[in-house]
Amino acid sequence: MDRRDRKRGLGAGNAGMGDGFLMEVCVDSVESAVNAERGGAGRIELCAGLMEGGTTPSMGLLQVVKQCVRVPVFVMIRPRGGDFLYSDRELEVMKADTRLAKLHGADGLVFGALTEDGRIDTELCTALLAVCRPLPVTFHRAFDMVHDPLVALETLVSLGFERVLTSGCDSSALEGLPLIKRLTEQAKGRIVVVPGGGITERNLQRILEGSGAPEFHCSARSARDSGMKFRTLPYWMFPSPTCRSASNRLCLFGSLWAFSGFWLLGSFFPCLNPGPRNHL
């Protein structure tokens, strides 16, 4: 099965995707990537540090993920958490990471950068896009922090981005649905507007129908109990109070959250799974 078939939702690995929606899943572990593909993901966004919105993954992780999955793997290029205002030295890091990601088999890249006044950093984006090519590039949710999203969309089109990921500049894609719809209409096929942020089995159908978007982005994370039998929880190892509980949920390093709790996306998004799966 080639990648075009996956986008159309054909094949056992994409059962329930027959309407043509492409599901991109962000992951930060090999197990999560494998689970995402088995569950029907048509594309993977690979990153580290999901707890801080995603940062550049290790090249070791990329290498092993590429060995384990067949779907396209887009690599996050983000040198740190926090804002999207980058220095010249950080740009050099992003360029170096991009070259390495391409060398190790990335199928696409994902990044975003803003100026201090909340506009697309066209100078940085132009420089980094030149390093990314000929691979496709997505502008990530830095878009949700821009001063004027309609103007920003035109900037991304002029720069040549293939996709933009957005929650509609709101707390979730559902809350930002009116703007996502407006952006999709404005795009007119020149760039793919990908809804993302807080997408669940309860709101997915409404978001897809209400936005008109052909793709969507999710993490679909779930927690599971740690396999550790000896448990001691030094408080200084955990960045947030929720990670200090005696239950020792796998929020220790974030990567064991993403896609660790289930195998089939159809069980998480029932509207994408009208019939039984036959690939397991």
Side-chain angles (χ1 to χ4, degrees):
M1 180 174 60
D2 66 24
R3 287 172 184 166
R4 289 171 298 175
D5 288 338
R6 286 186 179 276
K7 185 166 183 178
R8 289 192 297 265
L10 303 178
N14 272 332
M17 299 287 286
D19 289 335
F21 297 113
L22 186 144
M23 174 168 49
E24 177 182 80
V25 179
C26 60
V27 305
D28 63 356
S29 73
V30 178
E31 180 186 18
S32 298
V34 171
N35 289 352
E37 182 181 49
R38 288 182 177 179
R43 184 172 63 242
I44 286 171
E45 180 189 275
L46 186 65
C47 61
L50 280 177
M51 292 306 215
E52 53 184 342
T55 55
T56 305
S58 75
M59 293 303 104
L61 177 59
L62 173 58
Q63 277 188 296
V64 178
V65 166
K66 285 293 295 181
Q67 292 168 5
C68 295
V69 303
R70 294 178 57 217
V71 296
V73 178
F74 281 28
V75 176
M76 173 73 75
I77 303 297
R78 187 182 176 208
R80 56 166 173 78
D83 64 27
F84 306 103
L85 180 65
Y86 297 116
S87 67
D88 290 341
R89 288 178 176 174
E90 286 175 321
L91 172 58
E92 292 308 309
V93 172
M94 296 168 82
K95 287 180 178 179
D97 283 335
T98 298
R99 294 187 187 100
L100 287 171
K102 291 172 67 178
L103 181 65
H104 291 292
D107 297 292
L109 289 309
V110 182
F111 74 86
L114 304 178
T115 61
E116 62 183 10
D117 58 352
R119 290 171 171 77
I120 305 296
D121 189 335
T122 56
E123 183 177 352
L124 185 150
C125 288
T126 298
L128 194 52
L129 280 167
V131 181
C132 291
R133 297 308 185 196
L135 298 182
V137 185
T138 300
F139 193 94
H140 60 45
R141 286 188 62 193
F143 184 86
D144 290 325
M145 301 184 72
V146 297
H147 179 264
D148 187 329
L150 302 183
V151 171
L153 185 71
E154 293 302 319
T155 302
L156 296 183
V157 170
S158 67
L159 287 170
F161 282 89
E162 280 77 14
R163 294 174 178 82
V164 55
L165 174 63
T166 179
S167 63
C169 300
D170 215 317
S171 57
S172 70
L174 184 60
E175 294 296 323
L177 189 55
L179 179 58
I180 294 173
K181 178 178 173 59
R182 186 174 179 185
L183 291 168
T184 301
E185 292 171 346
Q186 179 180 324
K188 295 179 180 177
R190 297 173 298 160
I191 187 173
V192 179
V193 178
V194 184
I199 294 181
T200 70
E201 79 281 6
R202 293 181 297 276
N203 61 31
L204 174 61
Q205 189 104 25
R206 180 177 171 188
I207 290 170
L208 291 177
E209 293 176 352
S211 67
E215 305 180 5
F216 69 97
H217 173 99
C218 65
S219 63
R221 291 177 291 177
S222 68
R224 68 178 186 185
D225 286 325
S226 169
M228 289 293 296
K229 294 181 179 179
F230 175 75
R231 303 188 181 191
T232 180
L233 301 177
Y235 72 90
W236 45 265
M237 289 185 65
F238 302 97
S240 67
T242 58
C243 292
R244 301 175 190 166
S245 66
S247 66
N248 194 22
R249 289 291 190 181
L250 288 179
C251 51
L252 179 57
F253 297 115
S255 62
L256 295 178
W257 270 86
F259 257 87
S260 62
F262 53 90
W263 290 91
L264 296 176
L265 284 175
S267 65
F268 197 82
F269 296 124
C271 64
L272 296 182
N273 188 23
R277 304 230 177 207
N278 57 15
H279 65 291
L280 289 180

